[in-house]
Amino acid sequence: MKRTWLATAALAACFATGANAQVATPLSAYADAEGWLDVQTLTCAQLAGTYQEDANYLTAWYSGWYNGLAKKHYANIARAREAEHETIVYCKTHPDETVIKALGHIIDEFREKRGIEVSK
């Protein structure tokens, strides 16, 4: 009886404060019929609305993709986690932007803060 009362009180408190649980969408929901996810069209809203482990996986994948394009063969785990966090935070405030553009913004900001110049 006490558990039922506590559960009811907790549920009532959520409704009274306007709090509600957000249901996450797995990234697989955005894949085509063969299971491929178009990483260049994925939006920030989709990334921010997925499960944390899916967001972690995808941002790690993007990091590897960018490092591959730059022909870098090293990983700085602390920097990658920082960039991942910053990307997810940025995406929450820019839901209509693609993740690719958000990452570009985060990378540019990272380089600017550290005075890193990239030759073109």
Side-chain angles (χ1 to χ4, degrees):
M1 181 73 165
K2 188 174 186 177
R3 284 187 192 162
T4 305
W5 179 84
L6 286 173
T8 303
L11 187 59
C14 285
F15 286 125
T17 61
N20 57 12
Q22 182 179 1
V23 178
T25 302
L27 284 177
S28 60
Y30 307 115
D32 67 15
E34 295 179 13
W36 294 102
L37 181 65
D38 186 346
V39 296
Q40 292 190 343
T41 62
L42 194 73
T43 67
C44 277
Q46 291 168 320
L47 179 68
T50 194
Y51 293 102
Q52 186 64 50
E53 55 270 13
D54 282 359
N56 292 348
Y57 169 79
L58 191 61
T59 53
W61 185 91
Y62 278 117
S63 176
W65 184 35
Y66 270 103
N67 280 316
L69 290 173
K71 301 193 184 317
K72 293 189 179 222
H73 307 284
Y74 301 96
N76 183 318
I77 303 304
R79 281 189 187 170
R81 285 192 177 140
E82 179 185 352
E84 173 186 324
H85 172 74
E86 293 300 321
T87 301
I88 292 170
V89 168
Y90 182 85
C91 277
K92 287 181 179 182
T93 59
H94 298 84
D96 295 330
E97 198 162 315
T98 61
V99 177
I100 265 306
K101 286 186 180 180
L103 278 167
H105 172 81
I106 296 302
I107 290 169
D108 289 346
E109 202 173 74
F110 176 84
R111 289 176 177 156
E112 185 179 322
K113 283 180 187 175
R114 288 164 177 78
I116 299 170
E117 292 185 28
V118 179
S119 59
K120 296 187 182 197

